Amino acid sequence: LIRFSCRFSALSLMEEDTGLQCGVYRFDVSKGERGVNCTVRCSNPRVLPEGERKLTHTEDFLSKLEALVREYGVARYNGSYYKVSGLPDFYGAIVDAEYASGETIYCYNNQDPFLPVGMIVALCRLFGIGQETEDT
């Protein structure tokens, strides 16, 4: 795995199931000369007050990320594309990944966050987004 991008909406997910506050989460990873460059974004300022966080990790991070992709069978969604016009916001998920071999995984659905809840929770943990919810 040399590049990974994932965006998903937790707007339609039950907070009790995920431990995540509502919002649209985005994780971008690319292998660079000085490590693995990561960007984390969330539309909910209670989750990520600065809106965006940039991090650099070792290549071990890519191994952990690839293990999640394999564990949750993301490749089975490869090539799926589903778009509903007229939705007021992004309610689904998108994954775009590239391997050193040239193989890719791309899947998109703007209506349904099709990724398994376990993977969504594991991605958030891996990228340092806490599962705790804040009281309003």
Side-chain angles (χ1 to χ4, degrees), residues 50-63:
E50 62 274 27
E52 176 179 288
R53 184 183 304 153
K54 293 187 180 275
L55 308 161
T56 302
H57 291 285
T58 64
E59 287 194 29
D60 183 50
F61 186 84
L62 282 174
S63 298

Side-chain angles (χ1 to χ4, degrees), residues 4 12 16 21 37 40 43 58 62 65 74 77 80-81 89-90 96 104 114-115 119 121 123 130 133:
F4 178 85
S12 66
E16 294 82 14
Q21 295 183 36
N37 303 310
V40 179
S43 65
T58 64
L62 282 174
L65 183 54
V74 176
Y77 304 110
S80 65
Y81 183 90
D89 199 356
F90 182 78
D96 186 6
T104 61
F114 57 87
L115 296 170
M119 180 173 184
V121 170
L123 277 173
T133 56

Side-chain angles (χ1 to χ4, degrees), residues 19-134:
L20 297 173
Q21 295 183 36
C22 69
V24 177
Y25 295 74
R26 180 168 180 169
F27 306 107
D28 293 295
V29 178
S30 61
K31 185 176 178 180
E33 291 183 18
R34 295 185 176 168
V36 176
N37 303 310
C38 302
T39 303
V40 179
R41 295 178 186 94
C42 184
S43 65
N44 185 337
R46 289 177 46 203
V47 175
L48 200 60
E50 62 274 27
E52 176 179 288
R53 184 183 304 153
K54 293 187 180 275
L55 308 161
T56 302
H57 291 285
T58 64
E59 287 194 29
D60 183 50
F61 186 84
L62 282 174
S63 298
K64 291 176 184 176
L65 183 54
E66 184 172 357
L68 285 179
V69 169
R70 288 180 188 272
E71 178 182 350
Y72 289 100
V74 176
R76 74 175 174 249
Y77 304 110
N78 191 31
S80 65
Y81 183 90
Y82 186 79
K83 181 174 173 120
V84 175
S85 298
L87 290 178
D89 199 356
F90 182 78
Y91 285 94
I94 181 172
V95 174
D96 186 6
E98 180 180 359
Y99 291 84
S101 66
E103 295 174 293
T104 61
I105 297 174
Y106 182 84
C107 35
Y108 174 89
N109 186 321
N110 72 328
Q111 174 182 288
D112 175 35
F114 57 87
L115 296 170
V117 170
M119 180 173 184
I120 287 171
V121 170
L123 277 173
C124 288
R125 283 189 187 132
L126 182 63
F127 283 88
I129 298 293
Q131 304 305 104
E132 67 282 344
T133 56
E134 298 174 10

